[in-house]
């Protein structure tokens, strides 16, 4: 049976990603001075303006506006022709975390010596054996393309490129196995001087063919390069950006469920972020062990309560053992209270800007991507 699956990715210059990066750069700066900072930072970007808002409780002293300008510069928005630059107007509206929420986080309802979850919520973690990183192939390929768009622009190899850009890859499966690439979409922001013919030729040769496996491309694969024919105005000058609107790009490319909570701008006491990282680690370890080809975990928390109210595993019929047996091993190896997750993955150290740039999963230098060997050994012994 034939099946098509599509994932997308965006570059660092996408308006929503600009906001994610500013929020996480602010978080990193606060954690660097005060590792116990409570942060829920939101950012809006529009033509000529950025607005920083949210709840921040911290002993740190940082210049939010200068951090935002530095991020905007680093992305490449420095030319007035772009309609949005690091010289834009920046406003801020920051207040402290609600004392009612703070009380539940400081001391949990069920364990007075442990922090409670910063909110109720549902989080997911996922892994699949389609790539070395245990990530969905379509998302990995789409990310390869946006990474190359940025690399070619920053190195000057395609000097006419501008910071905004998107990609989309459709993979065909036959009887559940990867067969080929059905379609590829790349939309790259560019200056007015480059011809569409030159852009399409360069993107095909230096981005698409360089970023996708030749073995999966055939004469039936469809390519759409700047299909509207023009993409001069982009970034926040073209579309208002907002933190947390690229959740599927950030995670698993719609291959897995998402609980709805965004990651960027949130300190690790927010289980939207920390629990999602922990579940990714568990799911990846399960797939790495070979006991299942695919794994998705769901967890749920109550605000102010340390222990999760539920934990569920789905291996989509690919497991050699029952999901109940696997969950018993999970419970033996993983303490999923917020404090324990933070300690296990060292989540109070500044590291989050990179996740906003490149996605939160599938990068080997993230602590939550390092599989648990003891857990894997016990799984193999089942």
């Amino acid at each position: 049976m034939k099946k098509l699956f599509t994932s997308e990715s965006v570059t660092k210059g996408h308006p929503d990603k600009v906001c994610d990066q500013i929020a996480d750069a602010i978080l990193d700066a606060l954690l660097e001075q005060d590792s116990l900072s409570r942060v829920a930072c939101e950012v809006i970007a529009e033509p000529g303006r950025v607005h920083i808002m949210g709840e921040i409780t911290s002993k740190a002293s940082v210049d939010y506006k200068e951090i935002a300008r530095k991020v905007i510069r680093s992305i490449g928005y420095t030319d007035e022709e772009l309609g949005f630059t690091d010289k834009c107007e920046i406003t801020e509206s920051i207040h402290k975390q609600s004392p009612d929420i703070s009380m539940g986080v400081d001391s949990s309802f069920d364990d007075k010596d442990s922090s409670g979850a910063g909110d109720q919520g549902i989080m997911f973690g996922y892994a699949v054996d389609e790539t070395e990183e245990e990530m969905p192939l379509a998302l990995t390929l789409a990310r390869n393309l946006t990474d190359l768009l940025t690399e070619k622009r920053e190195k000057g190899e395609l000097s006419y490129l501008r910071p905004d850009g998107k990609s989309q890859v459709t993979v065909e499966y036959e009887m559940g196995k990867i067969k080929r690439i059905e379609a590829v979409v790349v939309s790259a922001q560019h200056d007015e001087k480059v011809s569409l013919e030159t852009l399409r030729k360069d993107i095909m040769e230096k981005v698409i063919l360089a970023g996708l496996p030749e073995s999966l491309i055939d004469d039936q694969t469809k390519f759409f390069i700047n299909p509207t024919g023009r993409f001069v105005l982009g970034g926040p000058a073209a579309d208002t950006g907002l933190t947390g609107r690229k959740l599927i790009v950030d995670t698993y490319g719609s291959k897995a469920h998402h609980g709805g909570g965004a990651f960027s701008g949130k300190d690790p006491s927010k289980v939207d972020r920390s629990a999602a990282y922990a579940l990714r680690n568990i799911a990846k370890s399960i797939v790495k062990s070979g006991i299942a080809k695919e794994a998705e975990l769901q967890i749920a928390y109550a605000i102010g309560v340390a222990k999760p109210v539920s934990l569920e595993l789905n291996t989509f019929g690919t497991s050699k053992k029952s999901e109940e047996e696997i969950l018993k091993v999970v419970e033996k190896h993983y303490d999923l209270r917020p404090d324990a997750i933070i300690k296990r993955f060292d989540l109070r150290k500044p590291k989050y800007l990179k996740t906003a740039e490149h996605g939160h999963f599938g990068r080997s230098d993230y602590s939550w991507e390092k599989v648990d060997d003891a857990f894997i050994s016990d799984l193999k012994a089942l």
Side-chain angles (χ1 to χ4, degrees), residues 97 101-102 104-105 115-120 269-271 301-305 338:
Q97 184 180 60
I101 296 174
S102 180
V105 177
S115 299
D119 200 353
Q120 72 172 48
S269 74
K270 313 293 191 295
V271 284
Y301 290 88
I303 187 169
V305 179

Side-chain angles (χ1 to χ4, degrees), residues 140-203:
T140 297
L141 297 181
R143 281 182 176 174
N144 287 351
L145 299 182
T146 50
D147 285 350
L148 277 170
L149 276 179
T150 298
E151 179 185 314
K152 299 300 180 185
R153 174 179 63 85
E154 291 181 343
K155 289 184 175 180
E157 293 179 37
L158 297 177
S159 58
Y160 56 77
L161 289 180
R162 290 178 170 179
D164 200 356
K166 292 183 176 182
S167 69
Q168 189 171 281
V169 176
T170 301
V171 174
E172 179 184 330
Y173 294 77
E174 191 169 64
M175 304 300 291
K177 296 187 179 298
I178 294 163
K179 183 178 181 183
R180 56 186 287 277
I181 294 172
E182 166 71 14
V184 180
V185 183
V186 175
S187 294
Q189 187 189 10
H190 58 89
D191 67 31
E192 290 189 283
K193 298 173 185 176
V194 66
S195 70
L196 186 59
E197 180 183 9
T198 296
L199 181 141
R200 285 177 171 164
K201 179 177 180 291
D202 286 347
I203 295 299

Side-chain angles (χ1 to χ4, degrees), residues 175-296:
M175 304 300 291
K177 296 187 179 298
I178 294 163
K179 183 178 181 183
R180 56 186 287 277
I181 294 172
E182 166 71 14
V184 180
V185 183
V186 175
S187 294
Q189 187 189 10
H190 58 89
D191 67 31
E192 290 189 283
K193 298 173 185 176
V194 66
S195 70
L196 186 59
E197 180 183 9
T198 296
L199 181 141
R200 285 177 171 164
K201 179 177 180 291
D202 286 347
I203 295 299
M204 175 60 80
E205 292 178 359
K206 299 182 180 182
V207 176
I208 292 174
L209 296 181
L212 302 180
E214 185 181 354
S215 60
L216 295 180
I217 296 173
D218 59 28
D219 57 5
Q220 298 300 307
T221 301
K222 304 176 187 70
F223 299 99
F224 303 94
I225 301 171
N226 282 39
T228 65
R230 178 180 169 90
F231 187 5
V232 173
L233 190 66
D239 292 296
T240 299
L242 179 65
T243 42
R245 279 204 305 211
K246 284 292 170 280
L247 302 180
I248 301 306
V249 171
D250 281 343
T251 54
Y252 307 105
S254 79
K255 190 77 169 178
H257 291 91
H258 197 293
F263 302 156
S264 290
K266 294 180 180 177
D267 76 87
S269 74
K270 313 293 191 295
V271 284
D272 278 334
R273 184 167 215 156
S274 52
Y277 290 172
L279 291 194
R280 162 61 181 171
N281 184 265
I282 298 170
K284 183 176 181 178
S285 297
I286 288 171
V287 172
K288 271 286 189 193
S289 75
I291 202 168
K293 293 180 175 294
E294 188 176 10
E296 180 185 77

Side-chain angles (χ1 to χ4, degrees), residues 57-76:
T57 303
S58 177
K59 296 175 183 176
S61 176
V62 302
D63 186 336
Y64 302 129
K65 293 181 181 180
E66 182 49 41
I67 291 170
R69 295 191 196 283
K70 183 178 179 182
V71 168
I72 295 166
R73 281 195 298 273
S74 72
I75 293 170

Side-chain angles (χ1 to χ4, degrees), residues 335-377:
D335 183 345
L336 293 172
R337 294 175 298 172
D339 283 350
I341 293 173
I342 290 168
K343 182 178 180 181
R344 182 181 189 125
F345 299 107
D346 204 13
L347 297 182
R348 294 207 180 276
K349 286 188 176 177
K351 64 182 76 178
Y352 296 109
L353 175 57
K354 189 181 291 187
T355 66
E357 293 174 348
H358 299 293
H360 296 253
F361 306 115
R363 308 282 179 176
S364 61
D365 52 342
Y366 299 161
S367 59
W368 50 93
E369 290 291 323
K370 294 174 173 58
V371 295
D372 186 312
D373 292 334
F375 175 50
I376 287 175
S377 179

